[in-house]
Structures are given as structure tokens and as C-alpha cells.
Amino acid sequence: MNNEDFRRHGHTVIDWLADYYEKVESLPVQSRAAPGDLRRLLPPHPPENGEDFEGILKDMDRLILPGITHWQSPRFFAYFPANVSPPSVLGELLSAGLGVQGMLWATSPACTELESHIMDWLVEALELPRVFRSDAAGGGVIQDSASSATLCALLAARERKTSGLGNRRGCDGTLVAYASSQAHSSIEKDCRIAGIGSDNLRLIDVDERFALNPDKLEQRIRADIDAGLTPFFVCACVGTTSTLALDPVPAIAELCGRYGLWLHVDAAMAGTAALCPEHRGIHEGIESADSYTFNPHKWMLTNFDCNAFFVADRQALTNALGILPEYLKTAATDEVIDYRDWQIPLGRRFRALKLWFVLRSYGLEGLRAMVRRHIELANEFAQWIEDGDDFEMVTPRSLNLICFRYKSDDAFNERLLQEVNRSGEIYISHTRLNGRYVLRLCVGQANTQRQHLEQAWQCLQTAARDLQETGRVKD
Ligand code: PLP
């Protein structure tokens, strides 16, 4: 493809995306594809000769769209959002076009310096502790995901506790990590990868609000010390996946200080709410955290992948992850940040660009307006549930998440979820709390407005009525 063709096709691709955003609301939210549908339509062998770009783009409509679940539909309420915005997509496009691999400051100084600067902006925007700034002892870095950020935190904590022995000799099975029973599965996966092992991750009981119980945490820490083990790491969650419960960070921080444990705070989706001063309370106690992470790729209009990870002591992180072969040494090595030492892979994309575009295009006020609208809509939806007779809230609304049930058994609620998702009108997901099947509706897509929540409410009520009356939902 020569440059002129690139220019022409580039315009067509942006047109394609703009048309997609215009029509996405009319498409069934969840893909109706069955397993194998796409593969049956794809040629079994790669093309020997290049094809026309027009033909390739046509196949986006013919082959790919039917297998897409529309995360950017304003009626997408499942899991947590992964919302995007046009400035973010354009920033991503520029990043792809520049093709920068920013492993070292020297391999593109702007890639590193924009990232440090934007991370410092986020410290200010969320009013995070000053120590997380790059001009203090710590600093921020963009990772691909919260899972990777937590793994980096675990490794830094492991090396701090073992004075570097973990890296040299591997783990001896004595290190113990803690999180609540509601912590995201990535914490256990990270413990496996870091050599801590699932058996040495203690999942601490939660209270009636599904937040970690600090008394139980302390009991467990003491029991482990008595057994000759070495507690070293706690992951506190600000906004758990199932219910957006807030672990009591101040009490956990106090225990971490007393027993010498690394405190990592995982605010994967909820962190964005701290853009609004009235929601900053979710971060109470965070000034004692050793590390903190949240995902702009969930609720901050920045397309996947973009995770923000902060540490209070960057030396602890680079002690764990830094490694410098001769071929990566540069004249600037001693005076700059080389982000390769802050993450698992060596290579890295220019992710700061899209975040920069988002922050400049919307400003903090624009982002706050979105957060406030989503929370307000979630609040209204919760009110409709409270005011009606057929559904019930399972936990009080937390920020933009509603956990609820139809007043019937698990099988009915499971069926209800399948039916509303099958309808294509909305897409919601579920969890299990105290053994019971629970429906989850999270308001977070960029264009979701009141009418989309009304539609969701209507869809749920109609499907529940049909299921009650006939045992099935009318097509
Ligand atoms: N932590 C929490 C609380 C989450 O809810 C999630 C995902 O939803 C994660 C971590 C993992 O996020 P990521 O996909 O960025 O690894």
C-alpha cells in the first residue's frame, strides 16, 4: 500500500468507524454468533497474493461484525465498561502509525516523558498522594492491565521482603499474601506467576457489605507468623468486581505498617470516580499505600489497553524488575526513566498519547460530568427497583453498579439473564453472593443516557413477566 492509498483508505476506515458509532445503538448488544461461526467462513489457508483493501474492509461488515459484542453500545451494562472516545481512538491510531517502541527513554524521549507527565497529571486529577509523582520518590507508569500492575507490585514487595533473594534464588514457599475473598481473580493468578503460589494467598472473610474484615486479616497474619511464615503483601480493593465494595484501607494500612507488609490498592474501575471531589472518600487511607492502580481503559474514555500504576518508592520497583544487558545501555541510562524496568515485558507501546488526547479533549470537567451522569443514572435505576414489587436490591448501589435479583430462585434469575441478553436489547452480567445468583448492571458506556436505562428496566420487567406467565420469553 503506497502513501496515497494509505491516505485514501485511512479516510475510509475513519468513515467506517464513524458510521459504526452512529449505528451501534441499533445493533443487538451481545453477539449472536455460535462457536465456530467465523472460522467456518474464513479461508483455510493464508492468501498467497495480496488483496484489495476495499475487499478486506468489506469483510469487516460481512465476517467480523456478526461476531462482535458491542461494548460501545449505550445499552451495554455487563461486567465493567471498557469505554472509548473518538480522541482516544485517534491517539491510538497515531501511536500505531508512529510505530514507536518506547522501551528506553532514548528509543523515543517523547514517549517516556509524555507518560511521566500524564501520570503526574493523574496524581493531581485524582488527588493521589504526592509521593506517587515522578518528581517525588515514586512515580506512575502505564501498564497493559491491572493484572500486570498487581503482578509488578507483588514482585516489588517480594524483593523488598527478601532483599533481592527472590530474584536470585526463587521463592521458598514461606511468603504469604492477603486479599479479601472478593478480590479479583487476577490477584491469585499473579501470586501463581510470582512464585508465591495459590496456597500462600489468604482470602480473608468480608463483612456484610462484602468489604475485607480487618480483624480477620490481623488474626490470619498473626497465625501465619506463629507458623513460621512471612507475611509480605496485602491487596486492598477499592471497588470489588462483584459489588464495588470498598475495603477499609485505613485499617488495612495500619496493619501493613505494624507488620511490615506492602500495601497495594486495586481500584480497577472505581478509581475514576475520584476525579470528582465528592467521591474522593473512596481513596481514604491511600496515603499509606506502597502502590496503587486503576484502569483508564474501564471508565475514563480511553480505549483498552491503558492501566495506570503508581508506586511510592520507584527504587523498590526497579530493584525487582530492572535488568541491564550491554545492548540496552545508553548514554542517558543514569539520568532518565527507562520504563522497561517498571514492567514485565521489555517493549512498550506509546499509550500515553491516547490518554493525553482524552485529558486534553474533555478536560477534567468533561470526565467528571460523565462520571456524575453514570452515577446519577445508576441511582435512578436502583430507585426503580426499590419502588417496584418484583425485583430487589442485593447490596446497596455502589457508584455506578447495581446488584439485584428478581424475587424468585436462582434458576429463574439465571434464565432471566439469558433471556434479556438473548433479546439483544441490553447486555448485563451476573455474580454470586453468599451462594445466591445475582444480576449486575453497571452504567459506564460513554453514550448511555436515561432512555437506555429505561429501556433496560422495561426489558427486564417484560422478560420477567413473560417468564412467569409462560416459562418462556416471546420473540
Ligand atoms: N481488579 C479488579 C477489581 C477488576 O474488576 C478487574 C477486572 O475487571 C481487574 C482487577 C483486572 O483488570 P485487567 O483486565 O485490567 O487486568
PDB file of all heavy atoms in Angstrom, residues 95 98-113 115 324 327-333 336-341 343 346-350:
ATOM      1  N   SER A  95      -0.411   6.519  17.633  1.00  0.00           N
ATOM      2  CA  SER A  95       0.585   5.674  18.283  1.00  0.00           C
ATOM      3  C   SER A  95       0.963   4.507  17.373  1.00  0.00           C
ATOM      4  O   SER A  95       2.145   4.200  17.191  1.00  0.00           O
ATOM      5  CB  SER A  95       0.022   5.170  19.619  1.00  0.00           C
ATOM      6  OG  SER A  95       0.798   4.112  20.092  1.00  0.00           O
ATOM      7  N   LEU A  98       3.002   5.908  14.359  1.00  0.00           N
ATOM      8  CA  LEU A  98       4.396   6.266  14.667  1.00  0.00           C
ATOM      9  C   LEU A  98       5.238   5.008  14.864  1.00  0.00           C
ATOM     10  O   LEU A  98       6.448   5.001  14.647  1.00  0.00           O
ATOM     11  CB  LEU A  98       4.455   7.136  15.931  1.00  0.00           C
ATOM     12  CG  LEU A  98       3.938   8.572  15.790  1.00  0.00           C
ATOM     13  CD1 LEU A  98       3.912   9.261  17.152  1.00  0.00           C
ATOM     14  CD2 LEU A  98       4.815   9.365  14.828  1.00  0.00           C
ATOM     15  N   GLY A  99       4.548   3.956  15.327  1.00  0.00           N
ATOM     16  CA  GLY A  99       5.246   2.671  15.476  1.00  0.00           C
ATOM     17  C   GLY A  99       6.411   2.719  16.437  1.00  0.00           C
ATOM     18  O   GLY A  99       7.417   2.028  16.259  1.00  0.00           O
ATOM     19  N   VAL A 100       6.251   3.526  17.480  1.00  0.00           N
ATOM     20  CA  VAL A 100       7.331   3.691  18.451  1.00  0.00           C
ATOM     21  C   VAL A 100       7.378   2.503  19.404  1.00  0.00           C
ATOM     22  O   VAL A 100       6.344   2.023  19.856  1.00  0.00           O
ATOM     23  CB  VAL A 100       7.095   4.997  19.249  1.00  0.00           C
ATOM     24  CG1 VAL A 100       7.848   4.987  20.553  1.00  0.00           C
ATOM     25  CG2 VAL A 100       7.489   6.197  18.403  1.00  0.00           C
ATOM     26  N   GLN A 101       8.572   2.047  19.710  1.00  0.00           N
ATOM     27  CA  GLN A 101       8.753   1.040  20.753  1.00  0.00           C
ATOM     28  C   GLN A 101       9.548   1.754  21.848  1.00  0.00           C
ATOM     29  O   GLN A 101      10.749   1.987  21.704  1.00  0.00           O
ATOM     30  CB  GLN A 101       9.500  -0.148  20.151  1.00  0.00           C
ATOM     31  CG  GLN A 101       9.265  -1.460  20.867  1.00  0.00           C
ATOM     32  CD  GLN A 101      10.156  -1.612  22.084  1.00  0.00           C
ATOM     33  OE1 GLN A 101      10.188  -0.755  22.966  1.00  0.00           O
ATOM     34  NE2 GLN A 101      10.862  -2.712  22.142  1.00  0.00           N
ATOM     35  N   GLY A 102       8.848   2.089  22.933  1.00  0.00           N
ATOM     36  CA  GLY A 102       9.428   3.008  23.916  1.00  0.00           C
ATOM     37  C   GLY A 102      10.098   2.341  25.099  1.00  0.00           C
ATOM     38  O   GLY A 102       9.975   2.814  26.224  1.00  0.00           O
ATOM     39  N   MET A 103      10.809   1.261  24.865  1.00  0.00           N
ATOM     40  CA  MET A 103      11.409   0.528  25.994  1.00  0.00           C
ATOM     41  C   MET A 103      12.390   1.377  26.793  1.00  0.00           C
ATOM     42  O   MET A 103      12.536   1.207  27.997  1.00  0.00           O
ATOM     43  CB  MET A 103      12.116  -0.730  25.489  1.00  0.00           C
ATOM     44  CG  MET A 103      13.224  -0.454  24.495  1.00  0.00           C
ATOM     45  SD  MET A 103      13.873  -1.990  23.833  1.00  0.00           S
ATOM     46  CE  MET A 103      15.019  -1.369  22.605  1.00  0.00           C
ATOM     47  N   LEU A 104      13.083   2.280  26.105  1.00  0.00           N
ATOM     48  CA  LEU A 104      14.066   3.146  26.759  1.00  0.00           C
ATOM     49  C   LEU A 104      13.689   4.599  26.499  1.00  0.00           C
ATOM     50  O   LEU A 104      13.082   4.907  25.471  1.00  0.00           O
ATOM     51  CB  LEU A 104      15.459   2.917  26.162  1.00  0.00           C
ATOM     52  CG  LEU A 104      15.989   1.487  26.114  1.00  0.00           C
ATOM     53  CD1 LEU A 104      17.288   1.437  25.309  1.00  0.00           C
ATOM     54  CD2 LEU A 104      16.236   0.989  27.528  1.00  0.00           C
ATOM     55  N   TRP A 105      14.116   5.485  27.379  1.00  0.00           N
ATOM     56  CA  TRP A 105      13.946   6.907  27.106  1.00  0.00           C
ATOM     57  C   TRP A 105      14.556   7.222  25.741  1.00  0.00           C
ATOM     58  O   TRP A 105      13.966   7.905  24.907  1.00  0.00           O
ATOM     59  CB  TRP A 105      14.635   7.714  28.217  1.00  0.00           C
ATOM     60  CG  TRP A 105      14.603   9.191  27.994  1.00  0.00           C
ATOM     61  CD1 TRP A 105      13.631  10.054  28.373  1.00  0.00           C
ATOM     62  CD2 TRP A 105      15.598   9.977  27.307  1.00  0.00           C
ATOM     63  NE1 TRP A 105      13.938  11.329  27.978  1.00  0.00           N
ATOM     64  CE2 TRP A 105      15.150  11.306  27.315  1.00  0.00           C
ATOM     65  CE3 TRP A 105      16.819   9.673  26.690  1.00  0.00           C
ATOM     66  CZ2 TRP A 105      15.879  12.345  26.731  1.00  0.00           C
ATOM     67  CZ3 TRP A 105      17.550  10.706  26.108  1.00  0.00           C
ATOM     68  CH2 TRP A 105      17.079  12.020  26.141  1.00  0.00           C
ATOM     69  N   ALA A 106      15.757   6.665  25.494  1.00  0.00           N
ATOM     70  CA  ALA A 106      16.494   7.001  24.278  1.00  0.00           C
ATOM     71  C   ALA A 106      15.811   6.504  23.009  1.00  0.00           C
ATOM     72  O   ALA A 106      16.066   7.024  21.925  1.00  0.00           O
ATOM     73  CB  ALA A 106      17.905   6.427  24.368  1.00  0.00           C
ATOM     74  N   THR A 107      14.931   5.494  23.115  1.00  0.00           N
ATOM     75  CA  THR A 107      14.301   4.970  21.898  1.00  0.00           C
ATOM     76  C   THR A 107      13.118   5.820  21.458  1.00  0.00           C
ATOM     77  O   THR A 107      12.482   5.506  20.453  1.00  0.00           O
ATOM     78  CB  THR A 107      13.859   3.495  22.056  1.00  0.00           C
ATOM     79  OG1 THR A 107      12.933   3.399  23.145  1.00  0.00           O
ATOM     80  CG2 THR A 107      15.041   2.578  22.296  1.00  0.00           C
ATOM     81  N   SER A 108      12.803   6.847  22.184  1.00  0.00           N
ATOM     82  CA  SER A 108      11.835   7.901  21.837  1.00  0.00           C
ATOM     83  C   SER A 108      11.570   8.720  23.098  1.00  0.00           C
ATOM     84  O   SER A 108      10.624   8.434  23.842  1.00  0.00           O
ATOM     85  CB  SER A 108      10.506   7.352  21.322  1.00  0.00           C
ATOM     86  OG  SER A 108      10.548   7.181  19.930  1.00  0.00           O
ATOM     87  N   PRO A 109      12.373   9.729  23.335  1.00  0.00           N
ATOM     88  CA  PRO A 109      12.234  10.502  24.575  1.00  0.00           C
ATOM     89  C   PRO A 109      10.807  10.988  24.817  1.00  0.00           C
ATOM     90  O   PRO A 109      10.333  10.982  25.957  1.00  0.00           O
ATOM     91  CB  PRO A 109      13.198  11.671  24.353  1.00  0.00           C
ATOM     92  CG  PRO A 109      14.257  11.123  23.453  1.00  0.00           C
ATOM     93  CD  PRO A 109      13.555  10.172  22.528  1.00  0.00           C
ATOM     94  N   ALA A 110      10.089  11.367  23.771  1.00  0.00           N
ATOM     95  CA  ALA A 110       8.740  11.902  23.969  1.00  0.00           C
ATOM     96  C   ALA A 110       7.809  10.837  24.545  1.00  0.00           C
ATOM     97  O   ALA A 110       6.894  11.141  25.321  1.00  0.00           O
ATOM     98  CB  ALA A 110       8.179  12.425  22.653  1.00  0.00           C
ATOM     99  N   CYS A 111       8.036   9.597  24.187  1.00  0.00           N
ATOM    100  CA  CYS A 111       7.174   8.503  24.657  1.00  0.00           C
ATOM    101  C   CYS A 111       7.284   8.375  26.177  1.00  0.00           C
ATOM    102  O   CYS A 111       6.282   8.253  26.880  1.00  0.00           O
ATOM    103  CB  CYS A 111       7.593   7.214  23.953  1.00  0.00           C
ATOM    104  SG  CYS A 111       6.682   5.773  24.454  1.00  0.00           S
ATOM    105  N   THR A 112       8.504   8.431  26.684  1.00  0.00           N
ATOM    106  CA  THR A 112       8.721   8.326  28.123  1.00  0.00           C
ATOM    107  C   THR A 112       8.272   9.592  28.846  1.00  0.00           C
ATOM    108  O   THR A 112       7.557   9.534  29.861  1.00  0.00           O
ATOM    109  CB  THR A 112      10.218   8.065  28.412  1.00  0.00           C
ATOM    110  OG1 THR A 112      10.548   6.779  27.902  1.00  0.00           O
ATOM    111  CG2 THR A 112      10.515   8.115  29.902  1.00  0.00           C
ATOM    112  N   GLU A 113       8.669  10.732  28.322  1.00  0.00           N
ATOM    113  CA  GLU A 113       8.409  11.976  29.072  1.00  0.00           C
ATOM    114  C   GLU A 113       6.932  12.334  29.076  1.00  0.00           C
ATOM    115  O   GLU A 113       6.412  12.832  30.082  1.00  0.00           O
ATOM    116  CB  GLU A 113       9.269  13.112  28.515  1.00  0.00           C
ATOM    117  CG  GLU A 113      10.736  12.845  28.825  1.00  0.00           C
ATOM    118  CD  GLU A 113      11.641  14.045  28.616  1.00  0.00           C
ATOM    119  OE1 GLU A 113      11.148  15.189  28.541  1.00  0.00           O
ATOM    120  OE2 GLU A 113      12.871  13.834  28.530  1.00  0.00           O
ATOM    121  N   GLU A 115       4.562  10.172  29.092  1.00  0.00           N
ATOM    122  CA  GLU A 115       3.973   9.219  30.047  1.00  0.00           C
ATOM    123  C   GLU A 115       4.190   9.685  31.499  1.00  0.00           C
ATOM    124  O   GLU A 115       3.239   9.711  32.296  1.00  0.00           O
ATOM    125  CB  GLU A 115       4.568   7.826  29.830  1.00  0.00           C
ATOM    126  CG  GLU A 115       3.929   6.753  30.686  1.00  0.00           C
ATOM    127  CD  GLU A 115       4.149   5.350  30.129  1.00  0.00           C
ATOM    128  OE1 GLU A 115       4.287   5.193  28.903  1.00  0.00           O
ATOM    129  OE2 GLU A 115       4.169   4.408  30.928  1.00  0.00           O
ATOM    130  N   LEU A 324      19.919  -4.993  33.104  1.00  0.00           N
ATOM    131  CA  LEU A 324      20.526  -4.136  32.085  1.00  0.00           C
ATOM    132  C   LEU A 324      21.625  -4.852  31.308  1.00  0.00           C
ATOM    133  O   LEU A 324      22.803  -4.823  31.686  1.00  0.00           O
ATOM    134  CB  LEU A 324      21.076  -2.863  32.754  1.00  0.00           C
ATOM    135  CG  LEU A 324      21.670  -1.813  31.818  1.00  0.00           C
ATOM    136  CD1 LEU A 324      20.647  -1.336  30.790  1.00  0.00           C
ATOM    137  CD2 LEU A 324      22.186  -0.611  32.627  1.00  0.00           C
ATOM    138  N   TYR A 327      23.534  -4.424  25.521  1.00  0.00           N
ATOM    139  CA  TYR A 327      22.923  -3.845  24.310  1.00  0.00           C
ATOM    140  C   TYR A 327      21.813  -2.850  24.601  1.00  0.00           C
ATOM    141  O   TYR A 327      21.296  -2.220  23.698  1.00  0.00           O
ATOM    142  CB  TYR A 327      22.420  -4.960  23.371  1.00  0.00           C
ATOM    143  CG  TYR A 327      21.670  -6.071  24.080  1.00  0.00           C
ATOM    144  CD1 TYR A 327      20.334  -5.938  24.417  1.00  0.00           C
ATOM    145  CD2 TYR A 327      22.322  -7.259  24.410  1.00  0.00           C
ATOM    146  CE1 TYR A 327      19.664  -6.954  25.070  1.00  0.00           C
ATOM    147  CE2 TYR A 327      21.659  -8.287  25.055  1.00  0.00           C
ATOM    148  CZ  TYR A 327      20.327  -8.124  25.387  1.00  0.00           C
ATOM    149  OH  TYR A 327      19.661  -9.134  26.043  1.00  0.00           O
ATOM    150  N   LEU A 328      21.420  -2.710  25.886  1.00  0.00           N
ATOM    151  CA  LEU A 328      20.390  -1.716  26.202  1.00  0.00           C
ATOM    152  C   LEU A 328      20.966  -0.494  26.907  1.00  0.00           C
ATOM    153  O   LEU A 328      20.237   0.422  27.270  1.00  0.00           O
ATOM    154  CB  LEU A 328      19.279  -2.338  27.066  1.00  0.00           C
ATOM    155  CG  LEU A 328      18.424  -3.408  26.387  1.00  0.00           C
ATOM    156  CD1 LEU A 328      17.383  -3.955  27.362  1.00  0.00           C
ATOM    157  CD2 LEU A 328      17.741  -2.876  25.138  1.00  0.00           C
ATOM    158  N   LYS A 329      22.274  -0.481  27.126  1.00  0.00           N
ATOM    159  CA  LYS A 329      22.891   0.679  27.795  1.00  0.00           C
ATOM    160  C   LYS A 329      22.916   1.865  26.838  1.00  0.00           C
ATOM    161  O   LYS A 329      23.214   1.701  25.645  1.00  0.00           O
ATOM    162  CB  LYS A 329      24.325   0.344  28.230  1.00  0.00           C
ATOM    163  CG  LYS A 329      24.372  -0.561  29.434  1.00  0.00           C
ATOM    164  CD  LYS A 329      25.806  -0.818  29.881  1.00  0.00           C
ATOM    165  CE  LYS A 329      25.814  -1.888  30.966  1.00  0.00           C
ATOM    166  NZ  LYS A 329      27.057  -2.623  31.061  1.00  0.00           N
ATOM    167  N   THR A 330      22.589   3.052  27.386  1.00  0.00           N
ATOM    168  CA  THR A 330      22.686   4.266  26.571  1.00  0.00           C
ATOM    169  C   THR A 330      23.380   5.334  27.409  1.00  0.00           C
ATOM    170  O   THR A 330      23.493   5.204  28.638  1.00  0.00           O
ATOM    171  CB  THR A 330      21.298   4.814  26.159  1.00  0.00           C
ATOM    172  OG1 THR A 330      20.647   5.331  27.328  1.00  0.00           O
ATOM    173  CG2 THR A 330      20.431   3.748  25.522  1.00  0.00           C
ATOM    174  N   ALA A 331      23.766   6.409  26.757  1.00  0.00           N
ATOM    175  CA  ALA A 331      24.452   7.492  27.468  1.00  0.00           C
ATOM    176  C   ALA A 331      23.549   8.087  28.536  1.00  0.00           C
ATOM    177  O   ALA A 331      24.020   8.599  29.557  1.00  0.00           O
ATOM    178  CB  ALA A 331      24.882   8.568  26.473  1.00  0.00           C
ATOM    179  N   ALA A 332      22.222   8.011  28.323  1.00  0.00           N
ATOM    180  CA  ALA A 332      21.286   8.669  29.247  1.00  0.00           C
ATOM    181  C   ALA A 332      20.849   7.756  30.389  1.00  0.00           C
ATOM    182  O   ALA A 332      20.142   8.192  31.298  1.00  0.00           O
ATOM    183  CB  ALA A 332      20.068   9.152  28.475  1.00  0.00           C
ATOM    184  N   THR A 333      21.237   6.488  30.349  1.00  0.00           N
ATOM    185  CA  THR A 333      20.693   5.487  31.278  1.00  0.00           C
ATOM    186  C   THR A 333      20.607   5.970  32.730  1.00  0.00           C
ATOM    187  O   THR A 333      19.601   5.732  33.395  1.00  0.00           O
ATOM    188  CB  THR A 333      21.522   4.176  31.205  1.00  0.00           C
ATOM    189  OG1 THR A 333      21.389   3.661  29.889  1.00  0.00           O
ATOM    190  CG2 THR A 333      21.016   3.138  32.196  1.00  0.00           C
ATOM    191  N   VAL A 336      17.707   9.201  33.318  1.00  0.00           N
ATOM    192  CA  VAL A 336      16.316   9.226  32.833  1.00  0.00           C
ATOM    193  C   VAL A 336      15.551   8.023  33.368  1.00  0.00           C
ATOM    194  O   VAL A 336      16.140   7.103  33.941  1.00  0.00           O
ATOM    195  CB  VAL A 336      16.279   9.172  31.287  1.00  0.00           C
ATOM    196  CG1 VAL A 336      16.898  10.418  30.684  1.00  0.00           C
ATOM    197  CG2 VAL A 336      16.959   7.908  30.784  1.00  0.00           C
ATOM    198  N   ILE A 337      14.235   8.061  33.164  1.00  0.00           N
ATOM    199  CA  ILE A 337      13.430   6.868  33.440  1.00  0.00           C
ATOM    200  C   ILE A 337      13.467   5.990  32.202  1.00  0.00           C
ATOM    201  O   ILE A 337      13.215   6.460  31.092  1.00  0.00           O
ATOM    202  CB  ILE A 337      11.961   7.277  33.738  1.00  0.00           C
ATOM    203  CG1 ILE A 337      11.865   7.940  35.107  1.00  0.00           C
ATOM    204  CG2 ILE A 337      11.045   6.067  33.655  1.00  0.00           C
ATOM    205  CD1 ILE A 337      10.458   8.360  35.496  1.00  0.00           C
ATOM    206  N   ASP A 338      13.810   4.733  32.390  1.00  0.00           N
ATOM    207  CA  ASP A 338      13.654   3.741  31.323  1.00  0.00           C
ATOM    208  C   ASP A 338      12.525   2.824  31.777  1.00  0.00           C
ATOM    209  O   ASP A 338      12.720   1.979  32.654  1.00  0.00           O
ATOM    210  CB  ASP A 338      14.947   2.938  31.119  1.00  0.00           C
ATOM    211  CG  ASP A 338      15.989   3.719  30.327  1.00  0.00           C
ATOM    212  OD1 ASP A 338      15.607   4.646  29.574  1.00  0.00           O
ATOM    213  OD2 ASP A 338      17.187   3.405  30.453  1.00  0.00           O
ATOM    214  N   TYR A 339      11.355   3.002  31.191  1.00  0.00           N
ATOM    215  CA  TYR A 339      10.191   2.292  31.712  1.00  0.00           C
ATOM    216  C   TYR A 339      10.263   0.765  31.540  1.00  0.00           C
ATOM    217  O   TYR A 339       9.464   0.042  32.122  1.00  0.00           O
ATOM    218  CB  TYR A 339       8.907   2.833  31.068  1.00  0.00           C
ATOM    219  CG  TYR A 339       8.353   4.073  31.755  1.00  0.00           C
ATOM    220  CD1 TYR A 339       8.082   5.226  31.033  1.00  0.00           C
ATOM    221  CD2 TYR A 339       8.085   4.078  33.115  1.00  0.00           C
ATOM    222  CE1 TYR A 339       7.565   6.361  31.658  1.00  0.00           C
ATOM    223  CE2 TYR A 339       7.583   5.197  33.748  1.00  0.00           C
ATOM    224  CZ  TYR A 339       7.321   6.336  33.013  1.00  0.00           C
ATOM    225  OH  TYR A 339       6.811   7.442  33.643  1.00  0.00           O
ATOM    226  N   ARG A 340      11.217   0.271  30.756  1.00  0.00           N
ATOM    227  CA  ARG A 340      11.366  -1.199  30.658  1.00  0.00           C
ATOM    228  C   ARG A 340      11.581  -1.806  32.039  1.00  0.00           C
ATOM    229  O   ARG A 340      11.264  -2.967  32.264  1.00  0.00           O
ATOM    230  CB  ARG A 340      12.538  -1.547  29.739  1.00  0.00           C
ATOM    231  CG  ARG A 340      13.851  -1.223  30.371  1.00  0.00           C
ATOM    232  CD  ARG A 340      15.048  -1.232  29.469  1.00  0.00           C
ATOM    233  NE  ARG A 340      16.150  -0.642  30.229  1.00  0.00           N
ATOM    234  CZ  ARG A 340      16.940  -1.340  31.052  1.00  0.00           C
ATOM    235  NH1 ARG A 340      16.800  -2.629  31.182  1.00  0.00           N
ATOM    236  NH2 ARG A 340      17.873  -0.723  31.743  1.00  0.00           N
ATOM    237  N   ASP A 341      12.138  -1.000  32.971  1.00  0.00           N
ATOM    238  CA  ASP A 341      12.413  -1.505  34.323  1.00  0.00           C
ATOM    239  C   ASP A 341      11.197  -1.404  35.248  1.00  0.00           C
ATOM    240  O   ASP A 341      11.302  -1.678  36.444  1.00  0.00           O
ATOM    241  CB  ASP A 341      13.549  -0.702  34.967  1.00  0.00           C
ATOM    242  CG  ASP A 341      14.882  -0.985  34.322  1.00  0.00           C
ATOM    243  OD1 ASP A 341      15.013  -2.057  33.699  1.00  0.00           O
ATOM    244  OD2 ASP A 341      15.788  -0.142  34.434  1.00  0.00           O
ATOM    245  N   GLN A 343       8.069  -2.715  34.314  1.00  0.00           N
ATOM    246  CA  GLN A 343       7.018  -3.592  33.767  1.00  0.00           C
ATOM    247  C   GLN A 343       7.600  -4.958  33.440  1.00  0.00           C
ATOM    248  O   GLN A 343       8.808  -5.157  33.523  1.00  0.00           O
ATOM    249  CB  GLN A 343       6.441  -2.963  32.508  1.00  0.00           C
ATOM    250  CG  GLN A 343       7.508  -2.741  31.430  1.00  0.00           C
ATOM    251  CD  GLN A 343       6.954  -2.311  30.088  1.00  0.00           C
ATOM    252  OE1 GLN A 343       5.881  -1.742  30.020  1.00  0.00           O
ATOM    253  NE2 GLN A 343       7.668  -2.619  29.013  1.00  0.00           N
ATOM    254  N   LEU A 346       9.872  -6.168  27.894  1.00  0.00           N
ATOM    255  CA  LEU A 346      10.856  -5.134  27.576  1.00  0.00           C
ATOM    256  C   LEU A 346      10.187  -4.031  26.744  1.00  0.00           C
ATOM    257  O   LEU A 346      10.212  -2.857  27.103  1.00  0.00           O
ATOM    258  CB  LEU A 346      12.013  -5.773  26.786  1.00  0.00           C
ATOM    259  CG  LEU A 346      12.992  -4.795  26.127  1.00  0.00           C
ATOM    260  CD1 LEU A 346      13.732  -3.990  27.175  1.00  0.00           C
ATOM    261  CD2 LEU A 346      13.985  -5.560  25.239  1.00  0.00           C
ATOM    262  N   GLY A 347       9.554  -4.439  25.659  1.00  0.00           N
ATOM    263  CA  GLY A 347       8.983  -3.469  24.718  1.00  0.00           C
ATOM    264  C   GLY A 347       7.723  -2.825  25.255  1.00  0.00           C
ATOM    265  O   GLY A 347       7.040  -3.357  26.119  1.00  0.00           O
ATOM    266  N   ARG A 348       7.447  -1.633  24.749  1.00  0.00           N
ATOM    267  CA  ARG A 348       6.225  -0.965  25.212  1.00  0.00           C
ATOM    268  C   ARG A 348       5.694  -0.018  24.149  1.00  0.00           C
ATOM    269  O   ARG A 348       6.425   0.560  23.365  1.00  0.00           O
ATOM    270  CB  ARG A 348       6.471  -0.247  26.534  1.00  0.00           C
ATOM    271  CG  ARG A 348       7.565   0.780  26.532  1.00  0.00           C
ATOM    272  CD  ARG A 348       8.031   1.059  27.966  1.00  0.00           C
ATOM    273  NE  ARG A 348       6.958   0.936  28.944  1.00  0.00           N
ATOM    274  CZ  ARG A 348       6.134   1.911  29.268  1.00  0.00           C
ATOM    275  NH1 ARG A 348       6.263   3.089  28.714  1.00  0.00           N
ATOM    276  NH2 ARG A 348       5.168   1.715  30.161  1.00  0.00           N
ATOM    277  N   ARG A 349       4.372   0.112  24.146  1.00  0.00           N
ATOM    278  CA  ARG A 349       3.686   0.964  23.178  1.00  0.00           C
ATOM    279  C   ARG A 349       3.615   2.394  23.705  1.00  0.00           C
ATOM    280  O   ARG A 349       3.770   2.632  24.895  1.00  0.00           O
ATOM    281  CB  ARG A 349       2.274   0.444  22.934  1.00  0.00           C
ATOM    282  CG  ARG A 349       2.240  -1.045  22.653  1.00  0.00           C
ATOM    283  CD  ARG A 349       0.988  -1.498  21.993  1.00  0.00           C
ATOM    284  NE  ARG A 349      -0.210  -1.273  22.791  1.00  0.00           N
ATOM    285  CZ  ARG A 349      -1.175  -0.433  22.444  1.00  0.00           C
ATOM    286  NH1 ARG A 349      -1.084   0.307  21.361  1.00  0.00           N
ATOM    287  NH2 ARG A 349      -2.236  -0.325  23.194  1.00  0.00           N
ATOM    288  N   PHE A 350       3.280   3.311  22.826  1.00  0.00           N
ATOM    289  CA  PHE A 350       3.161   4.728  23.177  1.00  0.00           C
ATOM    290  C   PHE A 350       1.707   4.961  23.621  1.00  0.00           C
ATOM    291  O   PHE A 350       0.928   5.597  22.936  1.00  0.00           O
ATOM    292  CB  PHE A 350       3.514   5.571  21.951  1.00  0.00           C
ATOM    293  CG  PHE A 350       3.780   7.030  22.242  1.00  0.00           C
ATOM    294  CD1 PHE A 350       4.268   7.850  21.229  1.00  0.00           C
ATOM    295  CD2 PHE A 350       3.560   7.592  23.500  1.00  0.00           C
ATOM    296  CE1 PHE A 350       4.527   9.197  21.464  1.00  0.00           C
ATOM    297  CE2 PHE A 350       3.818   8.934  23.745  1.00  0.00           C
ATOM    298  CZ  PHE A 350       4.299   9.740  22.723  1.00  0.00           C
TER     299      PHE A 350
END
